[in-house]
Amino acid sequence: NEPFNAIPYFEKAITGQPNHSVAYLSLGKCYEATQQWVNASATYEKGIAVAAKRGDQMPLGDMQQRMERLKTIISPDMIQKT
């Protein structure tokens, strides 16, 4: 239940600091843990763009790997593009 409870905090962090790539990674992980696959995908897509722009390699690589795994879970038409 902790990931579910953490979601609003990470959403607020991203609202306040939209260039915080680790917050996108953390929020995406929470969505994955609560099986909110489409939300996780959308969050990682946004986070990948932010991390790439900032040169944040660790969260970028992690989010890219997680997106690849999500593609095996949800259908391509459910993956939201930013």
Side-chain angles (χ1 to χ4, degrees), residues 12-68:
K12 185 175 181 180
I14 289 169
T15 300
Q17 295 183 336
N19 291 323
H20 194 296
S21 55
V22 176
Y24 287 96
L25 173 59
S26 298
L27 178 58
K29 287 179 179 181
C30 288
Y31 283 138
E32 282 190 84
T34 56
Q35 299 182 357
Q36 296 182 58
W37 312 124
V38 174
N39 287 339
S41 173
T43 299
Y44 290 144
E45 284 289 335
K46 291 175 188 171
I48 287 167
V50 168
K53 184 176 180 180
R54 292 177 45 88
D56 294 339
Q57 296 302 311
M58 186 285 299
L60 175 63
D62 198 351
M63 286 186 280
Q64 288 171 330
Q65 288 177 344
R66 289 174 174 280
M67 275 298 298
E68 288 304 311

